[in-house]
Amino acid sequence: MRQTGNIGDLRRWVSEARSSGQSIGLVTTMGYLHDGHLRLIESARAENSYVVCSIYVNPTQFGPSEDLDHYPRDLDRDKRLAEEHGVDLLFVPSTETMYPGGPEAQQIWIDPGHLAEHLCGAARPGHFRGVATVVAKLFHMVQPDRAYFGQKDAQQAIIIERLVADLVFPLEIRVIPTVREEDGLAISSRNVYLSHEQRSQATALIHALHRARQLIEAGEQHPPVIEREMNSLIRDEAPDARVDYVTVADHRRLQPTTDKLPDDALIALAVYFGSTRLIDNMVVRRADGRLEFQ
Ligand code: AMP
């Protein structure tokens, strides 16, 4: 495995691979790799002959009171895991490389518009602008054939798909199902912040999604009822949790709805345990009168 923080090296090695006929897969991460990231890398490995993984904790997607300075990091372990899982090139740029002169010097940003208004975008103003901008830079630097994102960050995945479609990036986005712990908690770098008690209460997120599924299978169609039941389950199972949102939305437009369950619905939630924010979601599709849950 090669490693660099330099755009010149990155471009040279990727273009060598491309000119020898290899296809390029990209996995973008903030490091502290876990089984969710590794599943993305494995998917990239299976569909491409050359795999690039980036590790960069992007300051412009963190709000002023968020955990940028404390975000967990372990580059030696990340290198070992990336190599073991078949990454060909690990790109670990500095902030000077990603934002010459610092983020304050950047003039042009990618604005995800209405897609960033609700769900996580409401509590994290500017977050998806930072994500879309840094991902666009990484796409230009690597020029992959395919890039891999996790369904755990459902709003991010939709925004990146629209970024690629609307700005005509010549690559394909693959969205990979959420990887979970045995008890159903979505794996996240932030799970390490949870106390023992918070960790045991955190299964309330997946239980709330299971509850939504039961209700929908039993014929429930009203988003406010589904949301109310999910909130009430979280109150019962996780007394230490503070719900940020529990929302039924149109999956593609990321717009909350109160009328009727959309045919392609995203049921998403975000919950705080202390200052740790956990998210999870489920997609519900209706096609030919049949329901599909993802
Ligand atoms: P992060 O390092 O948190 O920015 O995540 C990098 C990529 O890994 C993003 O596309 C995430 O959606 C994806 N990811 C993070 N956790 C999981 C998970 N539990 N299952 C699947 N993908 C994940």
Side-chain angles (χ1 to χ4, degrees), residues 64-180:
S65 59
E66 293 184 353
D67 55 348
L68 173 62
D69 293 340
H70 306 111
Y71 196 81
R73 293 163 215 244
D74 189 343
L75 188 56
D76 288 339
R77 183 171 164 278
D78 287 350
K79 272 191 224 166
R80 186 170 51 71
L81 287 170
E83 183 148 33
E84 281 171 13
H85 286 77
V87 169
D88 295 295
L89 171 48
L90 191 65
F91 181 52
V92 191
S94 65
T95 288
E96 187 50 34
T97 297
M98 294 306 288
Y99 297 95
E104 312 73 43
Q106 172 105 359
Q107 295 296 316
I108 309 290
W109 295 87
I110 293 182
D111 174 8
H114 294 306
L115 295 175
E117 254 170 34
H118 301 288
L119 307 162
C120 290
R124 307 187 72 188
H127 170 71
F128 289 112
R129 179 178 101 135
V131 170
T133 303
V134 83
V135 167
K137 286 177 187 247
L138 289 165
F139 285 172
H140 284 308
M141 290 172 188
V142 178
Q143 299 183 19
D145 297 288
R146 299 179 193 85
Y148 294 78
F149 291 85
Q151 177 59 27
K152 186 181 82 79
D153 300 279
Q155 188 169 17
Q156 168 173 284
I158 293 288
I159 289 173
I160 301 299
E161 284 181 338
R162 283 306 297 256
L163 165 77
V164 163
D166 290 0
L167 298 185
V168 204
F169 279 79
L171 63 98
E172 214 178 300
I173 298 299
R174 293 270 206 253
V175 180
I176 305 301
T178 302
V179 180
R180 300 177 179 282

Side-chain angles (χ1 to χ4, degrees), residues 34 47 53 56 87 140 158 201 263 270:
H34 55 57
E47 295 180 340
C53 174
Y56 179 59
V87 169
H140 284 308
I158 293 288
Q201 292 184 21
D263 284 345

Side-chain angles (χ1 to χ4, degrees), residues 27 33 37-46 51 53 82 85 87:
V27 178
L33 300 184
H37 300 118
L38 297 175
R39 186 73 56 82
L40 266 51
I41 291 172
E42 285 160 12
S43 304
R45 190 65 279 168
V51 175
C53 174
H85 286 77
V87 169

